């Protein structure tokens, strides 16, 4: 992302502050590294309300090119707290993604897509102290099992689709592979912020599978719509099913890692935001 785009995003954030009576804490780009030729740049920003305002979520879309999703940082903290409470009560129970409203769910403003994606992300802006200390605290706070679950839980339906129909759209294939690659990288001890699909898939796939994926990416990049093309790729179906089963089995064994310090870190984050 070049400096011109960064300046434009900062200017847009200032306009949102004026329009909605908020203070923008931080913004970040959600980039998977697999754009189509008419893809928007997808940004999330966290804000706090001024003067007892009650703005909860903002969707600011600018033609074809920029898509901004904003949410109250208090809701972000609430999402973390609820997610952790459920996890700590029963670590072996099925984890359900927490979204505070339909709007939050539609825009992916949850544990991973609205918060963790910022950690380690080079394409960020906002308050310098929060980007340094706040993001560090988030990295210390967030639970690996919840993050991995967010990535792989939605794939069960796609695995069923593969088993029954053998085919998916190019977007569904690539998004499934991206989710599996990011989840596998996290389980293997990869760094937060490593979400670029071409980089990860070259790390985990090779030979014929990698060749098939690269061909599919070339087709997808030229597509006008996410779902306009449908394929049946048996070798890729088998690869996806095997990766999914392996990751799910490994995820089941994960236990809470941050329970003892979770509340104290969250309180430190709240205090940090108060001073911004």
């Amino acid at each position: 992302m070049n400096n011109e785009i960064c300046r434009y995003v900062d200017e847009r954030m200032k306009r949102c502050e004026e329009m909605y009576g908020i203070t923008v804490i931080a913004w970040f780009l959600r980039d998977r590294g697999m754009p189509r030729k008419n893809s928007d740049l997808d940004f999330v920003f966290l804000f706090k309300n001024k003067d007892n305002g009650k703005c909860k979520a903002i969707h600011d879309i600018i033609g074809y090119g920029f898509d901004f999703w904003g949410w109250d940082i208090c809701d972000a903290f609430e999402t973390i707290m609820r997610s952790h409470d459920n996890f700590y009560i029963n670590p072996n129970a099925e984890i359900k993604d927490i979204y505070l409203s339909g709007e939050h769910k539609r825009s992916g403003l949850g544990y991973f897509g609205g918060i963790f994606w910022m950690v380690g992300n080079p394409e960020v802006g906002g308050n310098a102290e929060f980007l340094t200390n706040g993001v560090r605290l988030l990295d210390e706070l967030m639970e690996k099992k919840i993050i991995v679950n967010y990535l792989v839980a939605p794939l069960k339906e796609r695995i069923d689709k593969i088993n029954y129909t053998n085919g998916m759209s190019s977007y569904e294939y690539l998004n499934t592979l991206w989710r599996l690659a990011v989840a596998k990288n996290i389980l293997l001890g990869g760094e937060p912020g490593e979400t670029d699909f071409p980089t990860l898939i070259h790390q985990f796939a090779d030979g014929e599978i990698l060749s098939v994926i690269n061909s599919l990416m070339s087709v997808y990049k030229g597509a006008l719509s996410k779902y306009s093309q449908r394929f049946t790729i048996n070798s890729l179906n088998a690869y996806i099913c095997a990766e999914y089963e392996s990751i799910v089995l490994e995820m089941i064994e994960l236990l809470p890692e941050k329970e003892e310090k979770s509340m104290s870190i969250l309180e430190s984050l709240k205090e940090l935001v108060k001073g911004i």
Side-chain angles (χ1 to χ4, degrees):
M1 191 169 65
N2 60 42
N3 291 336
E4 184 179 353
I5 292 176
C6 288
R7 285 194 296 271
Y8 179 78
V9 175
D10 284 333
E11 290 170 4
R12 196 69 188 180
M13 294 297 95
K14 290 177 183 176
R15 182 175 177 184
C16 285
E17 289 181 329
E18 295 168 358
M19 290 176 62
Y20 299 106
I22 61 173
T23 297
V24 173
I25 305 296
W27 59 260
F28 61 96
L29 175 66
R30 291 193 294 200
D31 182 20
R32 298 176 179 85
M34 49 183 203
R36 295 191 329 278
K37 63 181 180 181
N38 60 348
S39 294
D40 293 333
L41 291 175
D42 187 35
F43 291 90
V44 170
F45 61 99
L46 296 113
F47 62 82
K48 71 174 185 177
N49 283 282
K50 295 192 290 190
D51 303 322
N52 297 316
K54 296 182 179 179
C55 189
K56 304 295 281 183
I58 299 168
H59 185 198
D60 184 29
I61 186 167
I62 307 169
Y64 291 101
F66 292 87
D67 209 354
F68 295 98
W69 302 93
W71 65 324
D72 185 347
I73 197 164
C74 292
D75 285 347
F77 294 156
E78 177 73 12
T79 299
I80 294 172
M81 186 175 70
R82 290 193 192 183
S83 300
H84 284 191
D85 285 348
N86 290 345
F87 182 39
Y88 296 151
I89 288 170
N90 190 349
N92 296 315
E94 179 183 358
I95 298 173
K96 294 185 178 180
D97 291 329
I98 301 293
Y99 293 102
L100 301 187
S101 72
E103 176 67 15
H104 290 91
K105 184 173 183 178
R106 185 173 75 87
S107 49
L109 297 178
Y111 197 91
F112 181 93
I115 309 168
F116 185 75
W117 209 325
M118 177 170 52
V119 179
N121 190 332
E123 312 291 0
V124 297
N127 179 272
E129 185 178 3
F130 186 84
L131 293 177
T132 300
N133 295 318
V135 172
R136 173 182 57 79
L137 288 169
L138 286 171
D139 188 24
E140 294 175 4
L141 171 67
M142 303 187 81
E143 290 281 1
K144 184 184 294 185
K145 188 169 186 175
I146 301 175
I147 296 163
V148 173
N149 180 79
Y150 166 87
L151 290 160
V152 300
L155 300 184
K156 186 179 184 305
E157 184 176 335
R158 293 183 189 171
I159 299 298
D160 291 341
K161 183 181 289 189
I162 286 174
N163 289 332
Y164 285 107
T165 68
N166 295 322
M168 294 192 291
S169 68
S170 56
Y171 168 76
E172 288 173 310
Y173 266 122
L174 292 172
N175 182 265
T176 297
L177 289 161
W178 173 78
R179 285 174 173 271
L180 292 172
V182 176
K184 186 171 184 175
N185 189 57
I186 290 171
L187 289 172
L188 290 173
E191 295 294 325
E194 294 177 342
T195 58
D196 181 70
F197 179 64
T199 301
L200 290 174
I201 206 62
H202 278 79
Q203 186 176 330
F204 298 131
D206 55 21
E208 178 191 352
I209 290 297
L210 184 57
S211 177
V212 170
I213 293 169
N214 286 334
S215 297
L216 193 60
M217 282 196 68
S218 295
V219 172
Y220 177 72
K221 285 179 178 179
L224 294 174
S225 167
K226 287 182 178 180
Y227 303 102
S228 59
Q229 301 151 314
R230 186 176 179 82
F231 301 92
T232 300
I233 309 172
N234 291 328
S235 60
L236 206 51
N237 292 347
Y239 174 83
I240 286 171
C241 289
E243 289 290 287
Y244 173 80
E245 290 173 8
S246 173
I247 289 169
V248 168
L249 286 173
E250 190 167 348
M251 183 184 71
I252 290 171
E253 301 299 319
L254 293 177
L255 295 171
E257 298 175 333
K258 315 289 182 69
E259 185 172 6
E260 291 183 1
K261 56 184 179 179
S262 177
M263 287 306 299
S264 63
I265 294 176
L266 199 53
E267 288 305 314
S268 295
L269 279 163
K270 291 177 181 179
E271 285 300 315
L272 176 59
V273 170
K274 280 183 183 178
I276 295 174

